[in-house]
Amino acid sequence: FATCFYWLIKVEFRYSGPGGFDALELLQEDNHMPDSPSLGDKYIISMYFINTVFATVGFGDISAENNAERIYVVIIMYVGTLVFGAMLGEVQNIMDSLRKADRERTVAVQETKDYLRAHQAPPEVERQMLSWVYFNEDVRIRDEQRSAVWSRFPDTLMYSLASHLHKVSPTPPASHSPYSC
């Protein structure tokens, strides 16, 4: 959308400078485009320009040459900033969710270490207790993940999944049996 609109502005507000200088013709010449560029050529050059704006690279080989283009580019810069900020926020959320379980495990281990050391537990007991905490936290995290997924489904589907996971013959629960009262 932004690329098509940029080309439209470029054509509609075409700048001709002193001595017959035409900014659009210069753009086409500088980018080795034919005199009558195809729709694909127009789209590629516009997409290239908009992406340099969005990515804040700004090579300078294509630039806004009149006030309409400058206003449009400023608006696109703000939109690009908002899109970039939103994407960074999403990346941060993904990273936070990936690290959440690790942080919880680290807190549980540290609390256990602090408690055992405050009570001067022997090193062998501390090792065994910490080994148990690591194991227990892994099991807890897996159980939370499973519960979160399973809570989305009705009992009959959960039963089918449990049957599959535990390699049990998929016999429906008694309440759904044709022989139940």
Side-chain angles (χ1 to χ4, degrees):
F1 171 75
T3 57
C4 295
F5 199 66
Y6 171 73
W7 192 265
L8 175 69
I9 290 173
K10 182 159 262 325
V11 170
E12 289 300 316
F13 297 95
R14 197 171 186 168
Y15 173 75
S16 292
F21 157 76
D22 186 333
L24 184 57
E25 288 176 9
L26 184 61
L27 172 72
Q28 290 170 327
E29 184 180 307
D30 286 348
N31 291 285
H32 309 290
M33 295 172 68
D35 291 337
S36 299
S38 70
L39 182 61
D41 290 335
K42 293 175 186 177
Y43 190 77
I44 289 171
I45 197 72
S46 297
M47 185 174 60
Y48 170 77
F49 175 68
I50 293 300
N51 280 302
T52 61
V53 170
F54 269 18
T56 69
V57 174
F59 292 119
D61 54 344
I62 303 173
S63 60
E65 295 159 356
N66 60 51
N67 287 340
E69 288 180 28
R70 288 181 189 105
I71 290 169
Y72 178 70
V73 168
V74 166
I75 291 168
I76 289 298
M77 286 177 185
Y78 284 123
V79 169
T81 301
L82 294 173
V83 168
F84 188 68
M87 287 188 329
L88 282 179
E90 288 301 315
V91 169
Q92 182 64 39
N93 288 341
I94 290 168
M95 295 304 295
D96 282 347
S97 67
L98 291 174
R99 287 186 241 153
K100 180 184 176 203
D102 191 46
R103 282 193 309 266
E104 290 173 354
R105 183 182 307 111
T106 301
V107 166
V109 167
Q110 191 59 50
E111 287 173 350
T112 304
K113 280 182 183 178
D114 293 344
Y115 179 82
L116 293 172
R117 289 179 182 163
H119 291 86
Q120 300 174 346
E124 182 57 27
V125 170
E126 181 177 334
R127 187 190 62 73
Q128 290 173 343
M129 299 289 283
L130 290 175
S131 177
W132 170 253
V133 170
Y134 280 113
F135 169 76
N136 192 46
E137 284 300 302
D138 287 342
V139 169
R140 183 189 61 79
I141 290 165
R142 274 197 312 270
D143 286 348
E144 284 178 3
Q145 289 170 342
R146 185 189 70 233
S147 294
V149 170
W150 286 31
S151 68
R152 297 181 186 120
F153 302 107
D155 290 343
T156 54
L157 290 177
M158 288 184 349
Y159 181 79
S160 296
L161 178 61
S163 297
H164 169 73
L165 294 175
H166 299 292
K167 308 291 187 240
V168 175
S169 174
T171 306
S175 63
H176 300 289
S177 170
Y179 305 108
S180 63
C181 298

